[in-house]
Amino acid sequence: MRHTFSKLIGPFCFPSPRKRTLGMAAGHGYGRSPEKHRANCPNTVCYPADEPELDGDMPAALRPDTAPRIRSVDLKRSLTLRIAIVATACLALVTAIALIETHAEEQRRAATTADLVAKQLDLQLMRINAGFDLSNRFPDLDVVVDNAAAGGQCVRFYDERGEMKRGSCVGAATSDKRAPEWFSAVSGLLFSPGDGVQRPVTYKGSSYGAVVVSSDPEAVTARVWREIKHPLILTFLTIASLSVFVYVAIARALRPTQQVIAGLNRLADGDFSHRLPAFRLAELQRISEVANQLAGKIEATLAERGELTKRLMNIQEDERRHLARELHDEFGQNLTAINALAASIEKAAEQDCPDVCIEARSLGQISMRMMQSLRGTLLRLRPADFDKFGLVESLRQLVDVWSASRRQTRFELSVPRTLGALPDNAAIHIFRIAQEGLTNAAKHAQASTVRLSVEPIPASGARGRDAAGIRLTIEDDGAGRGANGVPAAGGRGLLNMQERVAALGGSISFDDRPDAGLRVRVIVPVHPEERAADELSRH
Ligand SMILES: Nc1ncnc2c1ncn2[C@@H]1O[C@H](COP(=O)(O)OP(=O)(O)OP(=O)(O)O)[C@@H](O)[C@H]1O
Ligand SMILES: [Mg+2]
């Protein structure tokens, strides 16, 4: 049962449209001024605590106001993106290395071809000199190029004056399909075609010109493309599937964070009995442990403070009871005696001394007024016969007093004939809460009707008269507490109500209805063990 009611203990601050239940366990509060809080949450129903302990102990980063605002990042997307970027960069690097190596190899092949062609031309010059060949056929590149040049290479011969005499190109292999445009563009950006490899052609110390071998850039690019196309596609597919795998793996790994968030939300809602579950992921397990420790400490602190408040209030009630008894027995008796004495003097002096008679009558009237005032004080301190007749009857008396003193307001009471056995302390606290609620309605609401109702909350499966708790409602049709349900700066009445409720382990909610008055709902649990103890102590 206690657990059920502890769930009712709400957060420090609620969005007002949800009309959440407010738990006022001791220590619940903002730990900052209500004005400041109201400025920050204009649409919430918030209740300040008189001591800022919780907030004060909280690390600065956890405090709602001071936590730095950071742009949140989706971990799955961000990690996947980073992995994809790194993999793509590696892919680009590998492609660049392949391009560089192919170009370097192409340079080497061009140098080999240039050496071969230069040697062949030397031989041709030797044959011409020996008369085995015709000089006008020099340089005969066709035969030379067919033997020496590779596909995609061009061989040109320049005479000593630098004029090109002949040139011959070998077409690229038919298998060297053209590379895609983007690849050619990247390759073109990285490598310039260059001037080719040059070798001098000399015979017996005389220079006849030079042979230049160059490669067709398109053919080179096509060859590079042919070589790296398949690894490139494979790597691309690997990156894509790796990204999907990483995304799914992270999403699965992070799934328990939903539980963490849900658990933390329950703690933030004031359910400090809630504990986060254990997690396989070490980081989440650590968070869970710390959050559970924190919740445990807050729960213990709240319980301690609740217990302390309860004790204080019980002491206060005992003191009031004692004071009421003293006032009633001492003061009340003496006033009654004075009154009787005054009546007797008045009677005796009627004949002989009419002047004394008037004074005696005044004395009687004064003592009557004092008795009335004493009765009011006694009612506030401890309603007459509270201990004898109990809560229901005392509430009836209270409503009668208000109805008699405020004729412009109708006070209605709805109580069952009996509430069953209530622990004594619970009964007096409920009475005090009702008392403050009615006083507030009479003082602040300017209402035409004020309703007070008390009803037992049936325990599920409970036998007989025992109730699980008591629901007390005080509602008026007055002006309410102002726009948005923001309470006006006031005294201690509402705060005392909250402290009493918290000490009883119950919950209280203030329902500000614009233009329809204020409704205060209190639920106080009645624990069977307390009831039994109380009944025992009475016998
Ligand atoms: N029924 C109500 N209707 C309208 N306003 C209310 C009502 N109850 C409380 N208030 C507002 O809430 C404020 C706080 O009430 P609270 O009982 O705490 O203090 P108080 O009545 O002003 O002083 P105290 O109770 O200490 O004598 C009040 O000043 C009043 O403005
Ligand atoms: Mg008040």
Side-chain angles (χ1 to χ4, degrees), residues 252-264 274-292:
R252 282 191 60 169
L254 290 182
R255 205 174 291 154
T257 52
Q258 296 302 328
Q259 277 172 281
V260 176
I261 292 166
L264 290 179
H274 181 69
R275 294 289 177 272
L276 298 188
F279 295 101
R280 275 167 62 93
L281 209 64
E283 288 80 2
L284 291 185
Q285 177 57 20
R286 188 76 198 106
I287 291 173
S288 166
E289 280 168 13
V290 173
N292 287 344

Side-chain angles (χ1 to χ4, degrees), residues 224-254:
V224 178
W225 174 248
R226 184 166 49 87
E227 276 169 21
I228 68 165
K229 183 171 73 178
H230 289 120
L232 207 65
I233 292 171
L234 200 69
T235 316
F236 177 77
L237 289 176
T238 310
I239 292 173
S241 43
L242 184 74
S243 300
V244 172
F245 173 77
V246 166
Y247 188 90
V248 172
I250 297 172
R252 282 191 60 169
L254 290 182

Side-chain angles (χ1 to χ4, degrees), residues 413-429:
L413 176 71
S414 161
V415 279
R417 265 195 315 119
T418 172
L419 274 171
L422 279 179
D424 195 26
N425 288 336
I428 188 66
H429 290 311

Side-chain angles (χ1 to χ4, degrees), residues 24 47-50 436 491-501 510:
M24 286 313 299
Y47 303 94
D50 43 354
E436 176 60 28
R492 282 202 54 90
L494 298 184
L495 221 60
N496 284 350
M497 271 188 184
Q498 290 159 358
E499 280 175 3
R500 278 183 199 279
V501 173
F510 297 93

Side-chain angles (χ1 to χ4, degrees), residues 436 440-441 443-445 476 480-481 488-495 518:
E436 176 60 28
N440 272 354
K443 227 164 79 175
H444 308 294
D476 61 65
R481 288 188 299 173
R492 282 202 54 90
L494 298 184
L495 221 60
L518 177 72

Side-chain angles (χ1 to χ4, degrees), residues 210-353:
V211 64
V212 175
V213 177
S214 60
S215 300
D216 175 12
E218 258 191 36
V220 176
T221 312
R223 193 156 52 246
V224 178
W225 174 248
R226 184 166 49 87
E227 276 169 21
I228 68 165
K229 183 171 73 178
H230 289 120
L232 207 65
I233 292 171
L234 200 69
T235 316
F236 177 77
L237 289 176
T238 310
I239 292 173
S241 43
L242 184 74
S243 300
V244 172
F245 173 77
V246 166
Y247 188 90
V248 172
I250 297 172
R252 282 191 60 169
L254 290 182
R255 205 174 291 154
T257 52
Q258 296 302 328
Q259 277 172 281
V260 176
I261 292 166
L264 290 179
N265 273 337
R266 280 186 68 174
L267 297 181
D269 278 349
D271 181 3
F272 296 112
S273 62
H274 181 69
R275 294 289 177 272
L276 298 188
F279 295 101
R280 275 167 62 93
L281 209 64
E283 288 80 2
L284 291 185
Q285 177 57 20
R286 188 76 198 106
I287 291 173
S288 166
E289 280 168 13
V290 173
N292 287 344
Q293 275 171 16
L294 197 66
K297 279 187 186 158
I298 294 174
E299 197 182 22
T301 309
L302 291 181
E304 245 171 58
R305 289 190 57 167
E307 197 48 47
L308 207 63
T309 316
K310 197 171 175 176
R311 242 185 278 162
L312 279 176
M313 285 190 315
N314 287 343
I315 291 169
Q316 189 189 44
E317 283 305 329
D318 284 347
E319 196 57 36
R320 281 179 174 182
R321 196 194 319 226
H322 177 72
L323 206 60
R325 201 184 304 132
E326 290 295 305
L327 278 176
H328 179 269
D329 293 354
E330 286 294 316
F331 232 73
Q333 304 300 338
N334 287 337
L335 279 176
T336 313
I338 291 170
N339 197 12
L341 221 58
S344 141
I345 294 170
E346 188 187 347
K347 199 158 185 170
E350 227 167 25
Q351 303 291 324
D352 306 335
C353 197

